[in-house]
Amino acid sequence: MSHNNKSSEMRVTFINPKGGTQTVMGEVGESIMRCATYHRIPGIIGECGGAMACATCHAYIDEKWAHRLLGKSTQENEMLSGCIDTRWNSRLTCQVRLNEELDGLVIEVPKSQT
Amino acid sequence: MDALAPLLPEVDFAYDEVTDLHELIQKLRPHGPVVRVKYLGAPVWAIIDHAELNQAFNDLEHFDPGDGYRIISAPSMGNTLQTMQGEEHRVSRASVAAPFLPASVRGYVERMIEPIAHELMDRIAGQREVEFVQAFTRPYPFTVITRLLGIPVSDEAMLLEWAVKLIDFPWDPEGALKSKAAFDAYMQGIIDDRRRNPTDDFVSMLVKAEFEGQRLDDERILSLFRLLFPAGSDTTYKNAGSLFACVLSDPEIRAQAMRGGEERAAIATEGLRWQAPTAMLPRMATGDIKLGNAHIKKGDWVLFGITAANRDPKVFPDPDRFDPSRDNRELISFGRGVHFCLGMHLARRELETALRVVFERYPDIRLKPDARIEFVGGVLRGPRALWVQPYGKA
């Protein structure tokens, strides 16, 4: 992944439940999980590589942004139902792709994963 | 030289103990990311670099695990998640996933995993010297599975015998099929009981599971149960042995293991990298592909060199060093893609709980000073034996 094409970059902020936020540049078209692992955000692992098979990339999408995302598949819902401390705005971040409208997106990492 | 002839022809990665496996891999590495080695007496490919292995795990067109497993294991194991492909796999996997996801597994720690660890620790009380693989690391994950399945203690030995035979099909087809029949008849009784009287246990979760309007029939549930022992018990016990071998060898790591949960999680992860229990995973190529420097043909056997990729110096600097503080995001011990290990969360909680309970119960436990530790196996890998002194100096 290049991470150097400025025209397709956008800001994504990750909130760590233990304190601190980290704002990074994500690329349009990549998943939030890929963006997080590229920037080594603690608590978002994506160990299966984005196949909805490991449940290690669960995170909360800030309420302001959550309703702007496309709906979840039944498989994502099934996986989320087995994650710890889920909320209405929980997502598997491997299933959410960044686009220009999400510039400034805020993601909170669950406490159970950090 | 014949490009398809095996390098290191004197070594058979299936039959030999390969105590020096990591040294052998170092000799193979200069020859490229995909090399020829000998396995079951014949030359096969082995993918040893991380980038190429990651690519292969995610490439179901050329490396679908189904074809290989249908030959090695399907006659006695049935149509399992390992042999299923495409939509059938997606639906079946989603249907059985719930009891393996973090929320369920967190519940098993207190209710089941921790008490089993304590039971096994009780049994070595008073002994000055113990062989820890037989006394703890082997029975521990096996018992977790039998308890998950609701099998009474009195039947555990019988189940172990069947489970060991089930995967023996290539060497003893008749014995494997006989064990399958006995195992199925026994487990069918438990499934029937939970269909009549569902509780909130593991088997009931599967009996009640529904995904996209589909429910699991008895054969689907039985095929998962058959898979649990080789996939969840053999792997975890090998890795738990390697983990304790490392932790007990190094006073600094041992002190970290006694410190807290985060430290134990990092140590368990490093143990999974340093000596992956599934060292080399055999698969059959399902299409022609050029991977790295190799022209792999459909039908060729290919070893997925998990333990080699976990020590690829391009990804893990100073890879032979056991260092729980390293960045282990690229760990590939549980595979990648849609066939990623379903039991990953369970395995990790078992390893972390083992570290906690063993040091709680025997804070002075140490390796027997003059005992030599040898890691053996090119497919499944762990220590041959691990002699410990639970109370310190014997």
Side-chain angles (χ1 to χ4, degrees):
Chain A
M1 202 162 295
S2 67
H3 275 267
N4 56 15
N5 182 354
K6 300 287 181 213
S7 63
S8 63
E9 286 193 337
M10 49 176 290
R11 287 167 306 134
V12 184
T13 298
F14 292 91
I15 301 172
N16 187 317
K18 288 180 177 168
T21 63
Q22 209 175 330
T23 298
V24 301
M25 299 310 288
E27 283 195 358
V28 167
E30 72 177 348
S31 69
I32 298 174
M33 182 277 281
R34 283 274 172 237
C35 173
T37 55
Y38 182 84
H39 292 284
R40 310 206 167 274
I41 302 295
I44 297 183
I45 309 295
E47 195 167 345
C48 73
M52 274 195 286
C54 68
T56 63
C57 69
H58 167 218
Y60 311 114
I61 311 295
D62 185 273
E63 298 189 7
K64 187 178 147 205
W65 303 91
H67 64 273
R68 299 192 201 178
L69 305 181
L70 293 171
K72 288 171 264 190
S73 67
T74 46
Q75 195 169 341
E76 186 185 346
N77 266 322
E78 191 68 25
M79 292 297 283
L80 280 169
S81 69
C83 291
I84 292 170
D85 298 332
T86 52
R87 304 176 192 157
W88 72 271
N89 53 341
S90 285
R91 292 297 303 259
L92 291 182
T93 54
C94 68
Q95 297 304 302
V96 183
R97 294 211 172 272
L98 298 175
N99 63 52
E100 284 90 348
E101 288 173 21
L102 297 177
D103 185 27
L105 181 67
V106 178
I107 314 284
E108 188 185 342
V109 180
K111 201 173 164 198
S112 63
Q113 287 168 209
T114 57
Chain B
M1 188 181 137
D2 178 2
L4 293 178
L7 302 160
L8 311 175
E10 67 284 7
V11 180
D12 190 306
F13 286 81
Y15 294 135
D16 295 351
E17 287 194 324
V18 286
T19 51
D20 56 347
L21 177 63
H22 293 286
E23 287 81 8
L24 295 173
I25 291 166
Q26 277 185 14
K27 287 184 193 166
L28 294 170
R29 229 181 260 293
H31 296 273
V34 184
V35 295
R36 293 290 272 180
V37 296
K38 195 163 80 178
Y39 181 82
L40 292 171
V44 300
W45 300 105
I47 307 173
I48 57 173
D49 280 13
H50 193 283
E52 284 73 14
L53 184 59
N54 188 44
Q55 181 188 334
F57 264 125
N58 282 299
D59 179 359
L60 293 178
E61 187 189 339
H62 301 100
F63 296 104
D64 192 296
D67 282 19
Y69 282 118
R70 262 189 287 282
I71 294 169
I72 306 173
S73 70
S76 59
M77 298 290 285
N79 187 21
T80 68
L81 288 173
Q82 290 180 323
T83 48
M84 289 177 200
Q85 295 167 314
E87 191 62 5
E88 183 189 29
H89 175 265
R90 187 185 72 84
V91 172
S92 282
R93 175 154 174 141
S95 306
V96 303
F100 296 97
L101 290 173
S104 296
V105 173
R106 183 168 66 170
Y108 306 148
V109 172
E110 223 172 283
R111 278 207 316 271
M112 196 178 303
I113 299 175
E114 205 176 301
I116 292 168
H118 277 290
E119 278 173 41
L120 293 165
M121 288 299 101
D122 289 344
R123 288 190 209 162
I124 61 172
Q127 297 183 46
R128 309 306 299 179
E129 287 186 354
V130 176
E131 203 287 281
F132 210 53
V133 173
Q134 293 306 319
F136 180 65
T137 60
R138 187 161 192 241
Y140 173 60
F142 174 80
T143 312
V144 170
I145 294 174
T146 57
R147 300 277 164 91
L148 275 175
L149 295 177
I151 292 162
V153 176
S154 54
D155 291 345
E156 280 176 4
M158 189 170 68
L159 257 292
L160 178 60
E161 204 177 300
W162 293 334
V164 167
K165 270 317 258 188
L166 266 176
I167 52 166
D168 225 10
F169 184 79
W171 299 273
D172 178 11
E174 201 183 320
L177 293 175
K178 232 188 238 176
S179 286
K180 175 179 185 281
F183 179 89
D184 285 2
Y186 182 93
M187 291 310 305
Q188 185 67 53
I190 294 178
I191 296 172
D192 290 344
D193 176 70
R194 298 306 192 283
R195 287 208 192 276
R196 283 192 302 270
N197 313 297
T199 64
D200 62 351
D201 74 350
F202 178 85
V203 179
S204 301
M205 280 178 87
L206 294 169
V207 162
K208 290 187 278 190
E210 193 178 323
F211 179 71
E212 294 180 353
Q214 294 191 44
R215 303 189 77 152
L216 293 161
D217 63 21
D218 289 353
E219 174 50 30
R220 279 281 151 83
I221 298 174
L222 285 169
S223 77
L224 176 74
F225 291 171
R226 290 181 214 118
L227 191 57
L228 284 179
F229 291 96
S233 181
D234 294 355
T235 49
T236 312
Y237 106 67
K238 300 276 183 191
N239 192 244
S242 302
L243 177 66
F244 277 97
C246 287
V247 174
L248 294 175
S249 300
D250 185 330
E252 171 54 28
I253 310 267
R254 174 204 181 90
Q256 286 175 31
M258 295 172 90
R259 211 167 289 148
E262 275 182 34
E263 286 84 352
R264 284 188 286 273
I267 293 167
T269 299
E270 176 66 347
L272 286 158
R273 183 198 69 83
W274 190 81
Q275 197 66 277
T278 312
M280 311 274 259
L281 183 67
R283 290 219 172 156
M284 184 187 267
T286 47
D288 296 355
I289 183 175
K290 181 170 187 292
L291 184 67
N293 48 332
H295 293 272
I296 298 173
K297 300 267 180 228
K298 182 178 174 169
D300 285 355
W301 283 96
V302 183
L303 297 177
F304 277 26
I306 292 170
T307 205
N310 274 340
R311 293 203 194 192
D312 182 343
K314 296 190 288 298
V315 180
F316 300 99
D318 193 7
D320 295 334
R321 195 159 58 90
F322 189 95
D323 176 8
S325 71
R326 74 168 68 241
D327 186 341
N328 266 325
R329 281 172 180 274
E330 293 302 329
L331 178 81
I332 204 161
S333 302
F334 295 106
R336 286 280 192 281
V338 298
H339 287 276
F340 181 84
C341 176
L342 185 61
M344 180 273 282
H345 294 284
L346 181 59
R348 283 179 182 276
R349 296 301 91 76
E350 287 179 31
L351 294 166
E352 293 156 11
T353 305
L355 285 173
R356 175 162 54 84
V357 172
V358 168
F359 286 118
E360 263 173 31
R361 296 292 301 275
Y362 300 100
D364 297 321
I365 189 170
R366 67 170 194 175
L367 294 172
K368 188 181 169 188
D370 53 349
R372 188 162 165 227
I373 300 169
E374 276 192 322
F375 297 97
V376 292
V379 179
L380 283 175
R381 187 167 181 82
R384 189 200 311 278
L386 198 61
W387 281 96
V388 300
Q389 295 170 335
Y391 300 96
K393 198 175 172 192

